Amino acid sequence: MMELEQLNWSQPLDDFTAFQVTRGNVNARNPYSQYNLCDYTGDDALRVLNARIELCMQLGIDLDHLVMPRQVHGTKVTIIDDNYFQADITQQEDMLNGVDALITNLPDVCIGVNTADCVNIALCDPSTGVIAIAHAGWKGAAAHIARKTVEAMTKIGASLRHIHAVMGASICHDCFEVGDEVVDAFAKQKHDVSRIMKRNATTGKAHIDLRKACTLDMHAAGINPDYITEMGTCTRCQPDRYFSARRLGIDSGRTFTGILRHH
Ligand SMILES: [Zn+2]
């Protein structure tokens, strides 16, 4: 059975489930094993479909109510509403292409992202039922996808002071060694680099804390800091539970992180 690891809000919010799918049985020779739901990183299409079906059965939702974008490390946010569900498959694919965050206020619709080291951010506003999911690698984090997702939530009616956020397994500060061009990208886009960067004393290499960057971005957007949770688990430190592009290469599975509101 697929393990859905719960992501915990800062307080119990029973109507909102956020989770990540753990890898299950890992075969060291197969970088996609066991549960990969991402269909554009080279895995067998039938295996991906089977994993999606299994997830929907566990969630008790229809297969077409599992919605995930084709991510590009950008900052485009798409709203999943009745227009999406009335569109045909080709139109739906267009709507999801080049998108790194999704928002909906529909119940029993699981929106999610696929990540392997990048930050996965689930958000909800229990006062209005608006939920969101975002993928933030260093490019997206630097380009403020966390703040832009929050802003998009408020545009469809979410109440800023009620928004909760949780970040699941993603690369930790120690593991995320980067070149100085990455540090420069954060500085150029007005991040306080002194709060998210440290240098390894031995190698002199920069390390960025991606989750902290997203947390500070959400503070700047106006979310109550008490409502932001980091699970603290690292994909690279625990490749037996989560996919890690730094461990497995980019031709590998992705960890699916989803959120849904129960009707
Ligand atoms: Zn780590």
Side-chain angles (χ1 to χ4, degrees):
M1 185 149 165
M2 190 177 264
E3 182 195 356
L4 308 186
E5 186 177 40
Q6 300 300 303
L7 304 187
N8 301 319
W9 311 105
S10 61
Q11 56 186 248
L13 301 171
D14 293 340
D15 292 342
F16 301 85
T17 299
F19 64 91
Q20 55 198 3
V21 176
T22 61
R23 288 186 68 181
N25 296 322
V26 173
N27 173 345
R29 290 192 186 147
N30 181 352
Y32 301 99
S33 61
Q34 178 186 9
Y35 291 121
N36 166 51
L37 285 83
C38 185
D39 64 356
Y40 54 85
T41 58
D43 197 0
D44 178 74
L46 190 56
R47 274 174 41 89
V48 170
L49 180 60
N50 278 335
R52 292 182 181 185
I53 290 169
E54 189 167 338
L55 174 62
C56 287
M57 286 175 69
Q58 282 188 220
L59 294 174
I61 62 171
D62 295 334
L63 187 57
D64 70 344
H65 281 201
L66 175 65
V67 184
M68 60 190 91
R70 194 182 196 300
Q71 303 160 200
V72 291
H73 294 279
T75 59
K76 187 171 175 194
V77 184
T78 290
I79 296 166
I80 302 301
D81 56 12
D82 290 332
N83 288 331
Y84 172 86
F85 286 105
Q86 283 155 14
D88 65 34
I89 296 259
T90 309
Q91 292 168 326
Q92 288 182 339
E93 281 177 0
D94 284 345
M95 290 169 165
L96 294 171
N97 193 26
V99 170
D100 287 87
L102 297 177
I103 297 179
T104 192
N105 58 12
L106 300 173
D108 295 321
V109 172
C110 179
I111 51 175
V113 291
N114 290 288
T115 59
D117 295 337
C118 296
V119 182
N120 43 1
I121 313 171
L123 303 111
C124 74
D125 166 17
S127 72
T128 60
V130 177
I131 60 174
I133 192 86
H135 152 249
W138 74 260
K139 286 181 184 164
H144 301 285
I145 189 163
R147 191 184 75 206
K148 287 171 183 171
T149 303
V150 171
E151 288 169 355
M153 288 176 78
T154 60
K155 273 187 199 139
I156 67 160
S159 159
L160 190 54
R161 67 193 180 91
H162 291 113
I163 293 176
H164 291 251
V166 60
M167 285 164 276
S170 50
I171 197 161
C172 73
H173 202 174
D174 285 338
C175 284
F176 197 46
E177 179 187 297
V178 297
D180 281 354
E181 74 282 1
V182 173
V183 180
D184 292 345
F186 277 90
K188 264 192 200 131
Q189 293 176 89
K190 310 255 186 284
H191 290 264
D192 183 350
V193 169
S194 69
R195 298 182 70 185
I196 59 173
M197 193 269 280
K198 65 180 179 185
R199 285 198 185 270
N200 182 300
T202 310
T203 65
K205 293 274 194 174
H207 289 243
I208 294 273
D209 187 339
L210 275 185
R211 290 191 288 248
K212 182 81 176 288
C214 292
T215 295
L216 294 174
D217 211 28
M218 289 188 279
H219 289 181
I223 296 193
N224 182 341
D226 291 341
Y227 288 174
I228 301 174
T229 312
E230 293 185 32
M231 296 297 286
T233 38
C234 173
T235 43
R236 187 169 175 275
C237 290
Q238 291 181 263
D240 55 323
R241 287 184 66 72
Y242 315 108
F243 291 102
S244 169
R246 288 223 167 177
R247 288 246 186 238
L248 301 165
I250 57 167
D251 292 329
S252 62
R254 299 289 183 273
T255 296
F256 179 79
T257 304
I259 176 171
L260 77 165
R261 174 168 67 91
H262 308 281
H263 69 262

